[in-house]
Amino acid sequence: MNISIIGTGYVGLTTGVGFAVKGNEVSCVDIDEKKVERINLGDSPIYEPLLDDYLKRVLDQRRFKATTDLKSAVMNSEVSFISVGTPSGEGGKIDLKFIDQVSKQIGDILKIKDLYHIIVVKSTVIPETTEKVVLKNLEERSGKKAGDDFGVCMNPEFLREGVAMEDFLNPDRVVIGSIDKKSGDVIERLYENFKAPILRTNLKTAEMIKYASNSLLATKISFTNEVGNICKKIGIDVNEVMKGVGLDHRISDKFLNAGCGYGGSCFPKDVEALIGKGRDTGYEPKLLQEVHDTNMRQKVIIVKQLEEKLGDLKGKTISILGLAFKPDSDDIREASSIEIIKKLTEKGANIKTYDPKAMGHMRNVFPDIEYSKSAKEAIKDSDACLILTHWKEFKDLREEDFKEMSNRLIIEGRRILDRERVFGFDGVCW
Ligand code: NAD
């Protein structure tokens, strides 16, 4: 099938490359010319394991290209996936400016396109957006009728950064919301050779499945942190507790890791957007608000622990290992490290950091802190060391890597150090 993908970020690029790997002809569209140029050279603008290899392969096979030419991409494809960003707007509510813009642009193109075309929303959008914003824009701009002249589907993406290619190619499930059987059937065919259950729904149910999934995962994390904070007060290791809890098959051991809070481009904004949508309907989502508040509090707790141990942080040097919101990613959007560095610098601390992949992005946020070439270099001469991302290379740290600290204080925000190799460290809630 000929496919165009509009918005070539973490989701768009992975989706485009993934569909090309599955034998389709794909054009990925983006407004960022530099991004498009890099992609066409086989150099992924994002760090994502396996992505570069797959990208080079599908470029060589001439089944994939990136372009800034939206019109030609839509005209020459049967299906267009919209995967532009849906960031947090005012008061945490979803900001739909990219979705609004791109659906109007596609509507203009549909007006002059004679062949049947299907538009699929892959971006995470709050329930009713596909119908009330995308479909409405498409009909208004094209002068055509959705369901008759063109198709509209909603196909949320569940991939995790860090394992995005694997997740895209081997999803747990594929959800396809559609306004009519015909367009849903076409998208179902596209996923025919994926070994995953396919769930067919209407548009708003598909949208809500994505929000409910992310909110539940975020809830598991905040719940674990809440239990962890109580455990810490009474000297119980929350990790052992959650191991015991997770063995219950009704619960599972996933997303039961205590730490310094969740971040990333999805959980924080999606939980907030669902709270906003709930309020718009006149319902107050108290549980979700608490999930969000607990998460924000968790990022402050680690700073409080530092103050308890070090006193005034003014002039103290704090080394921070890990800036990305999760390992195997260079993404720092809503990363816990940002909030923590902000708090520490406000208190007058000097910051030395190290991250294997995310320092380039973080320089744009904090140009004035120190960036080191290795974990050991960051740790050297610091008064305390915080570990905020679960990078594998931090797992390998040994006692001698911490020998040159001016004061021995290590607090893990992620459970990672090996007690056999590093003696004496603390955890945010263990
Ligand atoms: P991103 O910011 O990495 O990428 C969005 C891309 O869209 C950018 O490259 C931007 O230049 C481009 N863009 C914006 N306006 C455009 C236009 N008019 N035409 C063409 N391109 C345009 O975002 P992302 O992380 O890939 O997320 C995209 C969507 O997928 C969001 O709704 C997000 O919530 C959802 N999602 C993200 C993940 C994830 O792990 N990142 C997982 C599942 C779902």
Side-chain angles (χ1 to χ4, degrees):
M1 208 176 285
N2 275 305
I3 299 170
S4 51
I5 313 267
I6 327 299
T8 311
Y10 285 84
V11 167
L13 183 57
T14 310
T15 302
V17 170
F19 277 136
V21 168
K22 292 285 188 179
N24 301 285
E25 307 285 324
V26 179
S27 287
C28 270
V29 183
D30 207 284
I31 45 174
D32 184 335
E33 283 177 26
K34 281 201 185 110
K35 216 178 237 191
V36 166
E37 241 169 67
R38 281 186 65 178
I39 293 169
N40 282 329
L41 291 170
D43 175 21
S44 163
I46 53 170
Y47 174 73
E48 188 57 55
L50 302 179
L51 184 55
D52 263 342
D53 294 345
Y54 278 119
L55 173 63
K56 286 193 181 86
R57 195 203 295 175
V58 292
L59 282 168
D60 284 348
Q61 292 168 337
R62 297 185 182 281
R63 271 201 260 119
F64 177 93
K65 66 166 193 271
T67 177
T68 52
D69 187 348
L70 176 69
K71 188 174 166 196
S72 132
V74 173
M75 289 301 276
N76 294 305
S77 57
E78 298 146 74
V79 176
S80 294
F81 282 85
I82 299 178
S83 52
V84 293
T86 49
S88 268
E90 220 172 285
K93 282 194 187 173
I94 186 169
D95 178 350
L96 293 170
K97 63 174 177 286
F98 299 118
I99 293 280
D100 185 50
Q101 187 188 32
V102 89
S103 49
K104 284 178 176 157
Q105 289 171 318
I106 298 174
D108 289 339
I109 302 166
L110 289 188
K111 189 175 184 172
I112 52 163
K113 184 171 178 177
D114 293 331
L115 296 173
Y116 183 77
H117 196 86
I118 299 173
I119 295 87
V120 188
V121 176
K122 200 168 232 330
S123 298
T124 302
V125 291
I126 206 72
E128 299 187 308
T129 302
T130 304
E131 192 180 336
K132 292 192 174 162
V133 179
V134 177
L135 189 150
K136 183 171 160 279
N137 283 343
L138 292 169
E139 284 191 334
E140 277 177 9
R141 291 297 188 113
S142 68
K144 295 181 176 175
K145 179 101 188 76
D148 295 337
D149 306 321
F150 62 90
V152 178
C153 293
M154 202 287 143
N155 170 223
E157 181 51 55
F158 299 97
L159 64 77
R160 296 162 298 166
E161 285 180 26
V163 278
M165 277 313 300
E166 277 166 80
D167 277 359
F168 181 79
L169 294 170
N170 307 290
D172 286 339
R173 79 298 212 186
V174 173
V175 176
I176 301 169
S178 63
I179 43 164
D180 60 336
K181 186 167 176 326
K182 180 179 168 185
S183 48
D185 284 352
V186 174
I187 305 309
E188 184 164 348
R189 270 206 307 284
L190 196 53
Y191 282 103
E192 228 164 41
N193 56 358
F194 286 64
K195 285 195 194 98
I198 292 180
L199 181 66
R200 297 279 295 265
T201 68
N202 61 25
L203 297 175
K204 59 187 175 189
T205 304
E207 293 166 329
M208 188 55 118
I209 288 172
K210 174 67 187 175
Y211 279 93
S213 301
N214 273 1
S215 298
L216 180 56
L217 294 171
T219 303
K220 284 184 89 174
I221 297 172
S222 279
F223 172 85
T224 306
N225 284 332
E226 182 110 299
V227 172
N229 293 335
I230 301 170
C231 282
K232 175 101 178 166
K233 300 259 184 225
I234 34 186
I236 298 170
D237 184 342
V238 63
N239 298 285
E240 268 185 65
V241 172
M242 285 310 176
K243 205 170 165 183
V245 173
L247 284 168
D248 185 327
H249 74 276
R250 295 168 304 175
I251 298 172
S252 108
D253 60 351
K254 306 287 189 301
F255 287 79
L256 294 184
N257 301 314
C260 55
Y262 59 75
S265 69
C266 293
F267 289 1
K269 85 168 168 68
D270 292 350
V271 171
E272 278 199 278
L274 190 52
I275 293 169
K277 182 69 182 177
R279 284 193 186 132
D280 282 349
T281 66
Y283 176 78
E284 182 57 35
K286 287 189 187 165
L287 175 63
L288 293 178
Q289 186 61 54
E290 202 44 59
V291 167
H292 173 75
D293 293 347
T294 299
N295 190 54
M296 295 311 287
R297 204 163 53 224
Q298 210 61 19
K299 300 177 188 193
V300 181
I301 284 179
I302 202 162
V303 177
K304 283 206 181 121
Q305 287 169 348
L306 269 185
E307 280 178 315
E308 274 163 24
K309 299 254 164 71
L310 287 180
D312 189 357
L313 297 179
K314 194 159 193 269
K316 299 269 170 34
T317 299
I318 313 296
S319 52
I320 296 200
L321 305 186
L323 300 172
F325 88 95
K326 67 182 294 192
D328 293 322
S329 174
D330 60 356
D331 199 346
I332 56 161
R333 290 177 286 184
E334 302 289 326
S336 298
S337 61
I338 295 182
E339 206 51 41
I340 292 167
I341 293 173
K342 217 184 268 171
K343 293 242 152 29
L344 292 174
T345 47
E346 277 164 16
K347 289 175 185 291
N350 304 314
I351 309 292
K352 289 172 83 188
T353 63
Y354 169 72
D355 186 284
K357 296 286 174 195
M359 291 197 289
H361 288 316
M362 201 54 106
R363 276 198 173 91
N364 299 327
V365 184
F366 297 111
D368 299 328
I369 61 172
E370 200 176 319
Y371 294 88
S372 308
K373 288 195 186 72
S374 66
K376 198 170 168 182
E377 189 185 301
I379 295 165
K380 189 167 184 272
D381 299 329
S382 62
D383 296 298
C385 172
L386 304 182
I387 305 181
L388 304 184
T389 314
H390 206 277
W391 280 101
K392 183 173 175 308
E393 70 173 81
F394 301 151
K395 220 183 209 121
D396 299 331
L397 287 169
R398 299 169 162 272
E399 187 56 31
E400 56 261 33
D401 296 314
F402 295 94
K403 276 275 158 31
E404 292 185 81
M405 291 182 78
S406 5
N407 174 57
R408 169 67 183 234
L409 174 61
I410 305 164
I411 306 180
E412 292 181 313
R414 311 286 174 201
R415 181 58 166 268
I416 187 157
L417 294 175
D418 182 344
R419 290 201 187 275
E420 306 268 300
R421 292 171 186 235
V422 183
F423 318 126
F425 55 85
D426 218 342
V428 62
C429 47
W430 52 91

